[in-house]
Amino acid sequence: MSPRVTDSVSSAVAVLRQGGLVGLPTETVYGLAGDAFRPMTVARIFAAKNRPEFDPLIVHLATSAELRRVARDVPEAAQKLADRFWPGPLTLVLPRQSEVPDLVTSGLDTVAVRVPDHPLAQLVLRESGLCLAAPSANPFGGLSPTTAEHVERGLGDRVDLILDGGPCRVGVESTIIHIDADNRATLLRPGGLPLEAIEAVIGPVDTPTTNSDDDRPMAPGMLLRHYAPSHSLRLVEDWPPLAERGELGCLAYGEVPTGFGSLVSLPADDDLTAAAARFFPALHQLDESTVTGIVARRFPEHGLGRALNDRLTRAAAKEPACA
Ligand code: TXA
Ligand code: MG
């Protein structure tokens, strides 16, 4: 392992206090974290990822008691969700405080915020006292990192320090919900908290990403092509004929089809929690194998399957929808 990888929380806190960037483990994926209130640091985050500036960042807090540092208003439905699911894989998009640097929110009047549920992320947030802006710690458009090694391989010396917190428990990014002043909730990104759990607390949530007939991103960063491996990924209804399988990598779910050059079969369970935890590691593994392409089938569209299908569809898309 490189000297950039550590398990020392105090080293991570020291780097962050100086305005540096830390690969931070969360329960969803690793984040590329920096002090949200230092515009120079935030600019470095965008540069390290090669991320377009129209794609705003999520701000991470130690507890929901700190919400007012970044949000000027907390609608009742948002408070209910925060009380029920934080710390956890839920991001709320709320009216922003004017002190939050424009670069963090890409000039929007809203800010995305969450309280991560990982012991090391919690320690870093509490000990530093900082609000941490953190996108996923991968080059823009690529596969999300769920281990310290993924971060090291993807970003190298563009990150000052990587805090190794082991493999991420949830494995897909947080669910993003926008709450407006009338408490209307809209799903901007399916993720690690199932929609069913959210609706059980606040009632029906609009899901324009699944209903829309155009490719306009709901969250500014939800480009059609995203989360992509370097090999081409094809979504199929049925597995290709045996004769074609030898050169292909296969991402399967609850079955073990034969004949593929490389295969990862994700375990099936009721709400796809186990499959989600191994989804990005599986794609990283297939991507590193000597195959000419990867094939996958859609997951059941419930529980975390909704988030996995979203990531698969974007990974399989040929062209960016914009930018
Ligand atoms: O689980 C996660 O959410 C991880 C960990 C590190 O916390 N972070 C993550 O960040 O996935 P990122 O930057 O890869 O994705 C953030 C998404 C982007 O699609 C961005 O457009 C959207 O959040 N977003 C951020 N601020 C927003 C806002 N004010 N309004 C709408 N969408 C926003
Ligand atoms: Mg990302």
Side-chain angles (χ1 to χ4, degrees):
M1 252 315 157
S2 116
R4 266 188 303 277
V5 180
T6 179
D7 57 8
S8 160
V9 167
S10 55
S11 307
V13 168
V15 167
L16 289 165
R17 285 210 175 118
Q18 287 158 17
L21 305 187
V22 168
L24 184 74
T26 83
E27 79 282 27
T28 57
V29 302
Y30 276 71
L32 177 60
D35 183 348
F37 283 97
R38 283 203 202 203
M40 291 287 283
T41 298
V42 178
R44 272 192 69 203
I45 294 177
F46 279 91
K49 275 186 67 96
N50 202 13
R51 177 176 175 119
E53 289 184 6
F54 63 75
D55 188 0
L57 307 180
I58 297 173
V59 178
H60 297 68
L61 306 176
T63 73
S64 59
E66 293 183 288
L67 254 181
R68 297 283 172 169
R69 290 173 76 180
V70 293
R72 71 170 182 276
D73 188 30
V74 183
E76 195 190 326
Q79 192 62 55
K80 271 192 192 164
L81 291 176
D83 291 344
R84 175 69 185 78
F85 295 116
W86 281 352
L90 170 71
T91 292
L92 295 172
V93 173
L94 302 173
R96 76 186 261 207
Q97 285 288 12
S98 51
E99 291 78 17
V100 178
D102 274 339
L103 203 48
V104 171
T105 65
S106 300
L108 296 174
D109 192 37
T110 53
V111 62
V113 53
R114 86 177 188 96
V115 175
D117 184 20
H118 187 290
L120 293 191
Q122 277 289 329
L123 281 173
V124 168
L125 284 161
R126 282 166 199 268
E127 285 182 22
S128 69
L130 298 171
C131 301
L132 294 176
S136 53
N138 53 284
F140 184 70
L143 291 175
S144 298
T146 57
T147 63
E149 200 189 339
H150 292 159
V151 180
E152 166 73 10
R153 241 185 289 143
L155 294 177
D157 62 8
R158 285 174 283 169
V159 53
D160 298 312
L161 198 70
I162 300 167
L163 188 57
D164 190 348
C168 299
R169 175 172 60 78
V170 175
V172 280
E173 297 85 345
S174 58
T175 302
I176 306 182
I177 300 278
H178 175 265
I179 308 279
D180 71 13
D182 299 324
N183 288 295
R184 238 180 66 168
T186 307
L187 177 70
L188 301 187
R189 178 177 72 182
L193 183 66
L195 192 60
E196 294 89 334
I198 294 169
E199 292 191 321
V201 174
I202 56 162
V205 172
D206 290 345
T207 55
T209 40
T210 47
N211 301 335
S212 79
D213 51 7
D214 65 0
D215 294 333
R216 202 164 35 90
M218 276 299 301
M222 290 302 274
L223 304 183
L224 188 56
R225 182 168 171 78
H226 210 119
Y227 309 104
S230 15
H231 288 311
S232 78
L233 186 143
R234 198 152 45 93
L235 262 176
V236 296
E237 294 281 333
D238 299 302
W239 298 126
L242 261 178
E244 292 171 23
R245 293 186 187 179
E247 296 197 326
L248 294 173
C250 172
L251 180 68
Y253 171 72
E255 57 171 333
V256 185
T258 54
F260 284 100
S262 179
L263 170 88
V264 180
S265 180
L266 302 178
D269 64 346
D270 282 352
D271 55 5
L272 291 96
T273 307
R278 293 180 48 193
F279 175 76
F280 278 119
L283 283 178
H284 280 281
Q285 183 184 324
L286 291 169
D287 208 22
E288 282 148 31
S289 63
T290 48
V291 291
T292 56
I294 301 169
V295 289
R297 291 168 66 176
R298 289 178 69 78
F299 294 88
E301 183 76 12
H302 61 84
L304 297 194
R306 191 189 288 267
L308 299 184
N309 284 332
D310 171 81
R311 307 304 188 267
L312 266 188
T313 309
R314 292 175 203 283
K318 296 275 176 298
E319 299 294 336
C322 61

